[in-house]
Amino acid sequence: MFAEVAFPISSFQSFTYRIPRNLTNSIQIGSRVIAILGKRSVQGVIISLNTQSNYKGDMKSISSLVDDNPVLTAELWELILWMSNYYVAPIGQVMKTVMPNRLSMQYSPPKNWYAKPTNVLNEIDIEVLMKRGPKQYEILKEIRKTTGICRIASLKSPSSNLLSICRILEGKGFIKLYKQTSLPDVTGFSFDPIHKEIIFNQDQVKAINKISLALNKKKYVPFLIHGVTSSGKTEIYIESVRQVIAQGRTAIILLPEISLTPQIAGRFKAVFGDTVALWHSKLSQSARAWIWKRICAGYFKVVIGARSAIFTPLKDLGLIVVDEEQENSYKQDSRDPRYHARDVSLMRGKIHNAVVVLGSATPSLESYYNHIQGKFKYIHLPKRYGGAKYPSVHIVDLIKESEETKIYGSLFSKILLDKIADRIEKKEQVILLHNRRGFAPVLRCMDCGEVEMCPNCNVTLTYHRKESYLRCHFCNHIEKQIPSSCKECQSVNVQLAGAGTQKVEYQLNQQFPNTSIERLDLDTAKSGVNITNVLQKFFDRKIDILLGTQMIAKGLDFANATLVGIINGDTGLYIPDFRAGERVFQLIYQSAGRSGRGHIPGEVIVQTYNPQNPVIQCATQLNLRKYYDICLNERKALDYPPFSWMIRLEISGKNKNAVERATEILKKKLGNPPKGIGFLGPAFCYREKLYNQYRMQIVIKSQKRKDPNGYKLHQYCKNIINNRDSLKLKGNVRLIVDVNPVSLL
């Protein structure tokens, strides 16, 4: 027997190996194996089995089998094959993305010793113990403080040999020892169960009935739920999952940010208990192994998590929910394959004959257009749940205010400060959005204009006041020595410019010194536990003002938050990317939706230097249809998605000249494209250099009216990219294939 093995390498080539007799009956398609590749032992995956081989040379044998049983379902393997083809990525690399890093199916949680005080304790004996065995007495005192059983290793001990002392205490009848399995701690990533009494309104009932009808047919049906913020989409998700579980099937709930996971997990756990599993990048390796193993065993019925949760090996999958489906965080852009979890969800739904629900208050233009074209069943929720009123929104023209007050560069308008003070006095809560972290994003010479740049990236270094360093937000390069003079002209007139969340936090503390303020951004959210603690404190009303980046702008539900302030509504508006306006509109609209979700009416303050901009106008008027009509007309005129398919080919390398030469070679190989397919470029990317790599790109588009399924575009690109003999790019450069890119930056 022979096996074709794919390895997690950039080559599309697979390798033929002989199967040893002792493994003939164990190896299956999708099995993980160890085999010699070059001079190394590498883990690969079996992609086909054959009784014969055309290879005539000296053939190596598979060294060993990694797992006793397949760790993937047949449907998940089919999804891997589709991803490899669609995203033009080697099967081995797709497999590496789908499977958790260093997954061990042999993992078993460790067993630890626990102690429990006995019911009858003789006080005289305890006094004797205190005099004759002070170390034993101190440990016994610690154990008696705990309620229930106590883990031995967690005790504060005057001795290094805890267990021996505990055994002596057990012999004297003071305690009872137990050995129990310690499961990985995943409780820190979820709120306590959040129970709500739900009375569905008419719009929700209609939505549930439509989804229920599709679930009963057990066929693939895609839905787009377009509901205003606080319209009760989560309640619809829960009711749909309830029906799926009643049918003996399972469900995946995808969320765009880890920051959204704790609150929604708390809602689902209140209904479905311990059958809910969380899955995201902040989990420890042991927790990932334990959860994956339990999913394979059929213990969990619902998986909630970020992007990679779509690959969890649930059997009998009946429902996939992609909440806030417009979010760019669903797109993997750091390594191949550069997949989009929304598109993968739709394909996995097809494979499983499952219902797929895409939900958002601000759908992506692609999903909105698919609804117009009749590809998605459309559900509209036009009203807020429970009678909550939509907030009133105020635009503050910062230029006009500066002229009136003669105060320039202030972060807070007078109306925003007054509204914050009013809410604090009323014991209500405030959410402030500023989508830029750090203290100041620019260090500039005021004489020659020179800006402090990252040596590895073509971006400015951001000053972080708390840590007192300059930092690149791409490659994490840090300069601890802050320049006191300009490197170009030696002028000492260097100043920090702009504002990040740290600066906003600093000025907030100056304005409101006796107020509880917390900041939530990538600098403070270094672990899932940190995120959960901050959000739980805000939920419990222990925080007055929550300041953060876009991670707090959507999906969160805090009934006592009655004011949302957007510090600078223009952030990101003029980035040279065709989706820039759409992103800013969605961010403002979603942020506004965090206000007034309870019985108290809410307000939103949007500060801007461009109050007449159509993006700002439509977002503050909460007029989605008007803005999307404008945007669709622009995209159609320029032949951008959703009216075209797009593949971005990026060439990157350390040598700028080599990158330029390789890009010209690629352009020549592409030749004259078929009718309906066109190029943009080649050109340097907007961020010309990142991670010490120069970057150029060629964007290839095909018109949907001439290429309805994108087949012509895919085939055209694959014929060139997969043909490694023809496509030889010299100069130690890398080719990146990005199918359906969310950004051209």
Side-chain angles (χ1 to χ4, degrees), residues 62-271:
I62 290 171
S63 304
S64 62
L65 189 63
V66 176
D67 311 295
D68 294 332
N69 298 303
V71 293
L72 300 171
T73 62
E75 293 88 354
L76 202 49
W77 178 246
E78 188 177 343
L79 183 69
I80 288 172
L81 296 177
W82 174 82
M83 287 179 64
S84 174
N85 179 62
Y86 187 75
Y87 291 107
V88 197
I91 289 177
Q93 285 193 342
V94 178
M95 184 76 176
K96 188 178 180 181
T97 296
V98 170
M99 298 291 294
N101 190 30
R102 298 193 299 275
L103 174 68
S104 173
M105 293 301 285
Q106 278 73 47
Y107 170 81
S108 294
K111 291 188 176 182
N112 292 294
W113 284 102
Y114 291 82
K116 182 179 181 182
T118 53
N119 292 329
V120 180
L121 293 174
N122 189 312
E123 295 299 328
I124 296 174
D125 289 340
I126 292 176
E127 287 182 16
V128 172
L129 183 69
M130 183 172 57
K131 295 177 182 178
R132 296 183 180 178
K135 290 183 179 180
Q136 296 174 32
Y137 173 75
E138 289 299 322
I139 292 173
L140 177 61
K141 193 165 66 171
E142 286 290 319
I143 294 172
R144 293 182 72 183
K145 285 180 184 177
T146 61
T147 56
I149 63 174
C150 168
R151 187 182 173 190
I152 300 297
S154 68
L155 293 171
K156 296 176 183 177
S157 167
S159 170
S160 60
N161 201 351
L162 269 171
L163 186 57
S164 296
I165 295 175
C166 287
R167 282 185 171 138
I168 294 171
L169 289 171
E170 184 182 37
K172 293 179 178 179
F174 289 116
I175 65 171
K176 181 70 177 174
L177 290 176
Y178 304 86
K179 200 170 188 182
Q180 292 188 1
T181 300
S182 294
L183 300 177
D185 180 20
V186 295
T187 57
F189 302 99
S190 171
F191 282 11
D192 294 333
I194 302 170
H195 298 274
K196 280 190 176 183
E197 185 178 348
I198 304 300
I199 301 174
F200 295 116
N201 59 33
Q202 288 184 348
D203 294 319
Q204 288 174 310
V205 170
K206 289 178 182 177
I208 291 167
N209 288 341
K210 286 181 179 179
I211 295 172
S212 177
L213 191 64
L215 289 171
N216 288 334
K217 292 179 180 178
K218 296 187 178 181
K219 291 183 178 180
Y220 165 68
V221 182
F223 284 93
L224 173 62
I225 296 183
H226 175 199
V228 299
T229 54
S230 192
S231 57
K233 293 185 288 293
T234 303
E235 281 71 30
I236 294 172
Y237 302 157
I238 289 173
E239 194 60 29
S240 300
V241 170
R242 198 194 304 271
Q243 182 176 344
V244 163
I245 291 177
Q247 293 174 345
R249 296 192 289 169
T250 58
I252 294 174
I253 313 296
L254 294 187
L255 305 171
E257 302 273 2
I258 292 174
S259 62
L260 300 183
T261 306
Q263 193 173 42
I264 291 187
R267 293 289 312 280
F268 273 81
K269 284 195 170 185
V271 180

Side-chain angles (χ1 to χ4, degrees), residues 390-391 393-395 585 588-589 592 606 611-627:
Y390 222 74
V393 184
H394 310 281
I395 298 180
F585 174 88
I588 294 174
Y589 191 110
V606 180
Q612 300 307 316
N613 186 287
V615 175
I616 303 294
Q617 283 287 317
C618 292
T620 51
Q621 293 167 8
L622 307 174
N623 194 337
L624 181 141
R625 189 178 297 276
K626 179 180 178 181
Y627 176 70

Side-chain angles (χ1 to χ4, degrees), residues 117 126-127 148 167 183 310 335 340 352 374 411 463 490-491 495 533 619 624 721-722:
I126 292 176
E127 287 182 16
R167 282 185 171 138
L183 300 177
I310 189 58
R335 63 179 184 181
H340 199 300
H352 283 267
L411 289 176
Y463 174 63
Q490 282 70 53
S491 168
Q495 292 184 14
N533 288 342
L624 181 141
I721 295 164
N722 290 4

